[in-house]
Amino acid sequence: MVPLHTSGTDQPALRGFLYAHESGATRRKTIHDIPNEVLLEIFNHYRLGCEISWEGVVSKAKYARMDLSPWWNTLERVCRWWHQVIRASPRRLDLKLQYIRGMSIQAMLENAPSSFPLSINFPSILHFRKKDTPALKLVLQQTERFREATLYSSGPAFAHLINVMTVPLPRLERLTLVENDGHPPIADLDNPLPPSLLGGHAPDLTLLNLRGVTIREVPHWTATATNLTSLHLNRVSISTGVLFTVLQSTPRLKVLVLDFVGCGPPKKRLPMYITRP
């Protein structure tokens, strides 16, 4: 169980409710006496304690023991009221459907409200394979709901993946795209991103994290990526001309991380972090 601290200024409704309860009435409180705003504070705290940290998932055996059901499943089964409060607050509780390899994408889409945003996660231990294409395409069809993608892959499967990702995704906010075959020298790096990645249209994109790829041409999405605030280029092969054009096209960029291929052994070189005030 996660301890609930109420001393911070970010939980005024919860602290006010507890103060009124402690200083006033002696009658017992029922579940229906708790205001909706207080419930949302409690639910949100529960959510933070349940979120999966993939940094600690280093083996498929550990993954197999994980509960991948949405964190709100348990809470909304308590009573009809809690169910209604949770389903009516997708933004407040950051409710989203996350597809991970092995799940039933069709069942996930059928059993959750259409207002919930979608994300897809193929982490390093469950990287994308060609056989995962149907599930990925089904998620990509939900263009108005698709918000976030973390996609690890390698070899021919990665080449196939980046070609699948050439459809317009106007609501996509965060994209991590990684070719995870280690650290090849620059001469061996041959995973060129197609200029038509994201269909050349990414107006809501705020974070882009690319690793192990080659960018030979100016991506078409730069023409619409006016909301991009964070760009991470790790182990990327890119010319200074293309990089300059990308930076010119992203006026709201605040964080730029550069770790170029060919800058020395991976263990000895450090990425360059550039921030804009």
Side-chain angles (χ1 to χ4, degrees):
M1 179 177 292
V2 180
L4 183 61
H5 302 286
T6 62
S7 58
T9 57
D10 59 333
Q11 297 170 322
L14 179 55
R15 287 187 291 109
F17 173 75
L18 293 177
Y19 176 78
H21 176 60
E22 292 171 356
S23 61
T26 57
R27 72 178 183 89
R28 291 185 177 182
K29 298 285 186 178
T30 70
I31 194 172
H32 297 287
D33 292 315
I34 305 176
N36 285 359
E37 184 57 34
V38 173
L39 280 176
L40 290 175
E41 298 258 11
I42 297 172
F43 294 164
N44 192 55
H45 190 82
Y46 178 81
R47 173 184 68 85
L48 295 175
C50 292
E51 287 184 339
I52 296 172
S53 174
W54 287 99
E55 295 180 358
V57 185
V58 294
S59 68
K60 293 184 178 180
K62 185 172 182 179
Y63 164 77
R65 298 192 298 270
M66 293 170 59
D67 180 9
L68 297 178
S69 59
W71 65 266
W72 65 84
N73 269 12
T74 301
L75 294 181
E76 69 176 4
R77 291 173 181 168
V78 171
C79 64
R80 185 175 300 177
W81 180 33
W82 281 26
H83 177 92
Q84 293 173 347
V85 170
I86 291 173
R87 294 297 179 107
S89 311
R91 286 188 175 274
R92 174 69 175 81
L93 298 175
D94 191 27
L95 300 182
K96 57 188 175 184
L97 302 177
Q98 180 176 150
Y99 174 79
I100 301 172
R101 198 177 87 190
M103 298 174 64
S104 170
I105 179 65
Q106 195 66 50
M108 185 178 74
L109 294 175
E110 291 175 354
N111 296 329
S114 59
S115 60
F116 284 16
L118 294 173
S119 67
I120 191 165
N121 193 341
F122 285 93
S124 56
I125 65 166
L126 296 169
H127 59 269
F128 175 85
R129 308 159 302 176
K130 284 188 177 181
K131 65 171 68 175
D132 298 314
T133 301
L136 176 59
K137 286 185 174 181
L138 194 57
V139 174
L140 296 181
Q141 290 175 7
Q142 313 294 318
T143 55
E144 293 301 315
R145 301 173 60 188
F146 190 37
R147 298 288 192 276
E148 184 175 349
T150 298
L151 302 168
Y152 281 69
S153 192
S154 60
F158 183 82
H160 180 72
L161 169 64
I162 57 180
N163 285 323
V164 174
M165 293 292 294
T166 55
V167 297
L169 298 170
R171 302 282 78 86
L172 184 67
E173 298 173 357
R174 302 168 66 89
L175 173 62
T176 294
L177 196 56
V178 179
E179 207 289 336
N180 62 346
D181 264 343
H183 297 270
I186 191 168
D188 296 335
L189 191 62
D190 190 23
N191 301 303
L193 290 184
S196 57
L197 185 72
L198 305 181
H201 187 63
D204 285 0
L205 193 66
T206 60
L207 180 145
L208 179 61
N209 181 7
L210 301 175
R211 190 187 310 166
V213 301
T214 299
I215 304 177
R216 294 175 179 165
E217 303 178 52
V218 176
H220 299 165
W221 54 259
T222 57
T224 61
T226 54
N227 289 310
L228 190 68
T229 59
S230 185
L231 177 61
H232 299 239
L233 301 177
N234 300 289
R235 200 168 49 85
V236 166
S237 174
I238 183 173
S239 70
T240 54
V242 171
L243 178 59
F244 183 73
T245 303
V246 171
L247 295 181
Q248 276 190 319
S249 305
T250 51
R252 297 186 180 179
L253 193 67
K254 294 183 178 180
V255 177
L256 174 63
V257 180
L258 300 176
D259 182 14
F260 293 126
V261 172
C263 298
K267 293 183 179 180
K268 295 183 179 181
R269 70 176 190 264
L270 295 174
M272 180 188 301
Y273 292 82
I274 304 174
T275 60
R276 177 183 296 170

